[in-house]
Amino acid sequence: MTTARSFYPATDLNITAYIPVVDRNFADDVISGLALPQKQLHAKYFYDQQGSDFFDQICQLEEYYPYQTELNLLPIVASDLANTFPTDCTIVEFGAGSLIKIKPLLSAMPGIRQFIPIDISGIHLELACQQLQSDYPELIVKPVVGDFCFPVELPALHNQQKIGFFPGSTIGNFCPAQAASFLENARCTLGPDSHLLIGVDTKKSPYYLHRAYNDANGITAKFNRNILNRINRELGANFEPDYFEHYAFYNAGQGRVEMHLVSTAEQVVDVFGTAVSFAAGESIHTENSYKYTPDEFCQLAESAGWQVEQTWLAEKDLFATYLLRNGN
């Protein structure tokens, strides 16, 4: 089993934070991914500061239905959960981002005493936590900067009821086997008698899916290309992002939206001292977004040791939220 991450306190935050010792090498992940027959990059590397800002812009787009649909559903979910968890709860949010979707829970569930957001983008997380703390001054906020794909060592929880929170259909960025692994690791992170509230995008007409990942303003294209800017900045690579086109489509056979960066010319890129060749039309597979029917997701959750306690479906079944219980 993968061991939990270790942490040390950050001294430059106003909020008590825990920052992991980094043991995964960005350069190795990038170079090994670009060496595959189908070149690929892990979607978690989208989220540097600029990438996180672009994603916030995507969430405001009319075409990107998952964000607003889930946000409209969450007050209903939160009202129901207020009765289920009336006192002394700790919420642990995986991939916390800008901390917008936690607010309906905080507003409707007075029993939440402590909030532990986990995110890979430290600066973005720090700024979001400072704003959240000012909005909810009685809340104990303990951010964790780290990779939630693995078991995470949490700050002390004082024996409170633990509820994991994983909104935004981020589970879809994993292939089904990886999704099951995440769910198993989340059980390890949260421990016995815990719950997990998770948002999952549903299978639907490709019309909605194509618009959501190919917005008219080109923000998703900028978000996609920004990963090349990050590689240039952090690894000294010489990608020309304008030589790559954003390409996203629904792969019905796999039940997923695929996002690629397609080379518009034959070119060679230096990445941390490694020459990476591209043929014209060759792509880097940057993201998957799997969609699930309720039956499919329930089977996935149960295979990872969770029991489905409650399901909420948005209007027209555009989105689903599930409350899972750790089957121990």
Side-chain angles (χ1 to χ4, degrees):
M1 176 181 290
T2 307
T3 57
R5 296 305 198 236
S6 58
F7 300 87
Y8 63 87
T11 58
D12 58 345
L13 295 179
N14 293 329
I15 300 168
T16 304
Y18 293 76
I19 300 179
V21 176
V22 176
D23 62 354
R24 297 196 63 181
N25 189 286
F26 180 39
D28 286 347
D29 283 353
V30 169
I31 291 168
S32 61
L34 294 178
L36 295 172
Q38 168 58 74
K39 293 178 173 65
Q40 65 181 38
L41 295 170
H42 199 294
K44 68 185 178 183
Y45 292 126
F46 279 131
Y47 298 97
D48 62 353
Q49 180 63 47
Q50 181 62 73
S52 296
D53 289 345
F54 278 138
F55 187 71
D56 286 346
Q57 294 177 47
I58 289 169
C59 290
Q60 302 306 313
L61 296 171
E62 182 273 332
E63 297 102 320
Y64 193 69
Y65 69 87
Y67 178 81
Q68 194 59 52
T69 303
E70 184 181 32
L71 203 57
N72 292 341
L73 186 61
L74 279 174
I76 300 170
V77 173
S79 178
D80 291 344
L81 292 182
N83 297 320
T84 306
F85 304 102
T87 59
D88 293 338
C89 297
T90 290
I91 302 291
V92 179
E93 183 171 359
F94 299 92
S98 295
L99 307 184
I100 299 299
K101 291 178 181 174
I102 190 62
K103 292 182 179 180
L105 303 187
L106 295 176
S107 297
M109 299 175 65
I112 298 175
R113 301 285 185 253
Q114 184 170 240
F115 176 52
I116 303 175
I118 305 170
D119 201 86
I120 201 169
S121 179
I123 296 174
H124 196 76
L125 180 62
E126 177 186 350
L127 295 173
C129 284
Q130 289 175 348
Q131 180 60 54
L132 187 77
Q133 187 74 89
S134 68
D135 293 340
Y136 298 89
E138 301 302 317
L139 182 69
I140 299 170
V141 180
K142 293 185 176 181
V144 170
V145 180
D147 188 345
F148 65 80
C149 297
F150 298 88
V152 175
E153 181 182 339
L154 299 176
L157 300 184
H158 310 298
N159 297 318
Q160 293 175 347
Q161 170 67 53
K162 297 180 291 297
I163 306 170
F165 185 41
F166 196 39
S169 71
T170 309
I171 190 74
N173 293 150
F174 302 115
C175 72
Q178 293 169 332
S181 178
F182 163 77
L183 291 169
E184 291 169 357
N185 288 334
R187 287 180 60 224
C188 180
T189 294
L190 296 169
D193 302 318
S194 58
H195 288 76
L196 177 63
L197 185 68
I198 183 168
V200 181
D201 201 7
T202 56
K203 288 183 174 176
K204 57 183 65 68
S205 167
Y207 168 78
Y208 288 102
L209 298 171
H210 179 81
R211 293 181 74 244
Y213 293 85
N214 294 277
D215 63 277
N217 292 328
I219 304 301
T220 308
K222 292 178 181 178
F223 172 74
N224 198 5
R225 289 193 190 97
N226 182 66
I227 198 169
L228 303 182
N229 292 324
R230 179 178 185 182
I231 295 170
N232 285 349
R233 183 180 67 254
E234 297 185 21
L235 303 182
N238 63 347
F239 277 103
E240 291 285 352
D242 289 343
Y243 290 176
F244 289 84
E245 290 183 345
H246 166 73
Y247 178 50
F249 65 96
Y250 180 57
N251 184 331
Q254 295 291 329
R256 69 190 188 195
V257 171
E258 294 185 17
M259 206 153 73
H260 293 251
L261 289 168
V262 181
S263 176
T264 59
E266 183 178 342
Q267 55 182 306
V268 178
V269 179
D270 181 270
V271 182
F272 208 58
T274 297
V276 181
S277 299
F278 290 87
E282 186 177 4
S283 78
I284 308 171
H285 190 170
T286 54
E287 185 180 55
N288 288 319
S289 184
Y290 282 84
K291 315 301 176 184
Y292 293 92
T293 66
D295 284 346
E296 288 171 341
F297 182 74
C298 290
Q299 290 175 14
L300 175 66
E302 289 168 2
S303 75
W306 293 95
Q307 298 175 4
V308 180
E309 285 203 339
Q310 195 164 353
T311 301
W312 296 265
L313 282 170
E315 186 178 359
K316 300 180 182 178
D317 294 350
L318 285 179
F319 197 88
T321 297
Y322 301 86
L323 179 66
L324 311 180
R325 182 171 62 83
N326 190 344
N328 301 327

